[in-house]
Amino acid sequence: MKQAFIGMVLAAFVATTACAQDQSLSNDRPPMHRHHGDALAQLNLTDDQKNEMKTINDDFHQQMTDLKKSEDKITVTEWKSKMATIRKDHHEKVEKVLTDEQKASLKKMHKEHGNRFRQDKQNRIERMKKELNLTDEQTAAVERNLSESLIKIRGVHDDKSLTDDQKKVQYKTLHDRQQEGLKSILTPDQWTKFQELKKNHGHGKPVQS
């Protein structure tokens, strides 16, 4: 199933300071999932391994779908804990399918990607702090805002019961909520400047520091 509109939200959530709001419709898959698929493609899996991976991934997506259905009944902390458990279980199952050489290669690729992803996120947060003159407390709140939003967006992405159009609607809703949360963190002047920065640099171009 095509992962239309997913990149939009991750761009908006992870790189809030670097994107205009309509940037969320620009890519067809989020970087983290695109990276994972590309990494597996480089491992030269056998047909048997591919079949096992499909079974493992189908089970993973079903668990994520079930978790998504419970989101209104549990706290964010509980959601994060359950998601971490599901992802850990998925990782362990995948590890059992791969050879030692494949596991070593995958670990190296994930480490390199993770380092780039974290550095990029931190750079964007720092730019936002500088451009808007955020306090340390505001900066921490912005990071929490983004992290909690990502948890929700991942849940929507992994919910196989939703159509692409339904996901698009939910992504938009989550994006709007994330923006509302961000607005509550910033002062009126900071929010106005933030909107001006997005307008001036629009379409995903990074704010120059």
Side-chain angles (χ1 to χ4, degrees), residues 117-131:
F117 183 84
R118 285 188 292 273
Q119 187 60 52
D120 182 64
K121 178 182 177 181
Q122 189 60 38
N123 288 343
R124 293 180 187 281
I125 291 292
E126 288 299 322
R127 278 205 299 271
M128 185 175 186
K129 182 178 182 179
K130 178 180 178 180
E131 293 284 350

Side-chain angles (χ1 to χ4, degrees), residues 80 121-122 125-126 128-129 133-149 181-182 185-186:
K80 292 169 72 172
K121 178 182 177 181
Q122 189 60 38
I125 291 292
E126 288 299 322
M128 185 175 186
K129 182 178 182 179
N133 195 28
L134 301 181
T135 64
D136 290 341
E137 290 76 13
Q138 285 179 311
T139 302
V142 167
E143 291 192 75
R144 287 195 298 272
N145 173 281
L146 298 180
S147 296
E148 291 178 2
S149 297
L182 185 62
I185 296 170
L186 304 178

Side-chain angles (χ1 to χ4, degrees), residues 164 177 199:
D164 285 346
R177 290 177 182 174
K199 180 179 179 180

Side-chain angles (χ1 to χ4, degrees), residues 152-167:
K152 296 296 184 181
I153 202 62
R154 285 168 178 161
V156 173
H157 169 261
D158 291 325
D159 189 346
K160 296 183 70 176
S161 69
L162 299 176
T163 65
D164 285 346
D165 286 341
Q166 289 172 326
K167 288 185 178 184

Side-chain angles (χ1 to χ4, degrees), residues 176-209:
D176 290 344
R177 290 177 182 174
Q178 187 266 342
Q179 291 289 292
E180 290 172 4
L182 185 62
K183 186 176 182 179
S184 71
I185 296 170
L186 304 178
T187 66
D189 287 345
Q190 288 171 330
W191 177 253
T192 298
K193 184 173 182 180
F194 176 59
Q195 299 303 310
E196 292 174 350
L197 289 171
K198 289 197 298 181
K199 180 179 179 180
N200 293 338
H201 293 275
H203 304 294
K205 294 181 180 179
V207 175
Q208 299 300 318
S209 55

Side-chain angles (χ1 to χ4, degrees), residues 16 23 38 52 191 207:
T16 306
Q23 167 67 13
D38 292 343
E52 289 186 73
W191 177 253
V207 175

